[in-house]
Amino acid sequence: MKKPGIKGFRVETCFGGAKCPNHIHETEHLVDLMVKRFEAENLLGFLQEHIQEPIKYHHEFRMSVSNCPNACSRPQIKDIGIIGAILPKVADIPCNSCEACSVNCKENAIAINTEFKHPVIDLELCVRCGQCVKNCPTHTLAIGEKGFRVQVGGKLGRRPQLAKELPGLYNEEEVVSILSKCISFYKMQGENGERFGHIIARIGLDQIINPRF
């Protein structure tokens, strides 16, 4: 048995779309690909077979897609979270030391080297929002890589936990591949409807930590 409207998975998106000033990616095509992947996996049938109680909304596998690191759709607390991202780079173009990049960086991840007069990026602090690139008038800062950050295993409930981020940025095809691996991992290791984050905490990320291989 299940409640009306339950389909075994749920994909959420941010509401800003292309009109949002922080917008990085068009995500409609990626969302369509992921929904088709979910449908092909028949997660509802899997849940009905493995859960010894009526299927409820909290049993569904949840995924969230955000166009930028502001993450309005809260990907950090979903089974899989996808975040549009831009990794900046310093191009071989003179910098005028205007500091527009550092002024517009909310993470304090970029500064002007006063001796050599060029930007320096702290990649440990950078969230890949691309605002420094957008606001650089000389184009000294450019797009080094554009793609998606992927986070897995977030959840709310009695013991909430933030999702763990996989290293690197990924294109659409790689994101769908990661999703397929996560679903296979979930089906193979899940016990009586436990959340994906429980499985990762119990077993680890070894089977999906290197999704490019």
Side-chain angles (χ1 to χ4, degrees):
M1 296 178 61
K2 68 181 181 69
K3 285 191 174 183
I6 290 181
K7 53 186 178 181
F9 69 91
R10 195 164 297 271
V11 179
E12 300 175 14
T13 61
C14 55
F15 48 82
K19 295 180 180 179
C20 175
N22 301 305
H23 176 267
I24 290 176
H25 272 292
E26 296 293 343
T27 57
E28 290 84 356
H29 183 251
L30 176 59
V31 170
D32 287 343
L33 291 175
M34 291 188 297
V35 168
K36 289 177 181 177
R37 182 71 262 161
F38 273 122
E39 291 173 342
E41 292 287 348
N42 187 24
L43 279 175
L44 180 57
F46 171 80
L47 291 173
Q48 290 173 325
E49 183 179 345
H50 288 83
I51 296 179
Q52 307 304 314
E53 60 180 284
I55 308 301
K56 299 177 181 177
Y57 293 113
H58 68 264
H59 290 124
E60 292 186 305
F61 197 102
R62 295 180 177 269
M63 187 169 195
S64 174
V65 182
S66 288
N67 288 340
C68 78
N70 281 4
C72 295
S73 58
R74 303 186 296 175
Q76 302 92 341
I77 56 172
K78 301 299 192 299
D79 296 306
I80 302 178
I82 308 299
I83 303 172
I86 287 176
L87 179 65
K89 71 174 182 179
V90 180
D92 191 20
I93 298 174
C95 169
N96 67 5
S97 300
C98 71
E99 297 188 338
C101 55
S102 57
V103 168
N104 284 281
C105 179
K106 296 179 181 179
E107 316 306 320
N108 295 317
I110 190 164
I112 303 298
N113 182 304
T114 55
E115 181 179 356
F116 299 102
K117 294 186 178 180
H118 67 76
V120 177
I121 304 167
D122 185 338
L123 294 179
E124 292 295 319
L125 294 177
C126 177
V127 296
R128 281 62 168 167
C129 71
Q131 289 298 313
C132 58
V133 175
K134 179 180 179 181
N135 287 282
C136 178
T138 59
H139 304 294
T140 305
L141 287 165
I143 297 175
E145 187 178 357
K146 186 175 181 179
F148 297 94
R149 294 163 53 191
V150 177
Q151 301 182 339
V152 297
K155 66 185 184 69
L156 290 178
R158 295 175 63 175
R159 294 185 179 273
Q161 70 182 27
L162 293 177
K164 301 178 186 298
E165 184 155 337
L166 303 184
L169 299 184
Y170 303 93
N171 60 33
E172 281 191 354
E173 182 179 350
E174 290 170 330
V175 170
V176 175
S177 174
I178 293 169
L179 172 60
S180 296
K181 290 185 177 183
C182 288
I183 293 174
S184 295
F185 186 58
Y186 172 72
K187 284 182 171 181
M188 182 170 53
Q189 303 292 350
E191 297 177 356
N192 195 32
E194 67 179 328
R195 294 243 57 88
F196 191 46
H198 283 148
I199 302 171
I200 290 174
R202 180 164 54 82
I203 296 177
L205 278 172
D206 289 347
Q207 296 184 45
I208 55 176
I209 197 67
N210 292 313
R212 285 194 169 107
F213 300 101

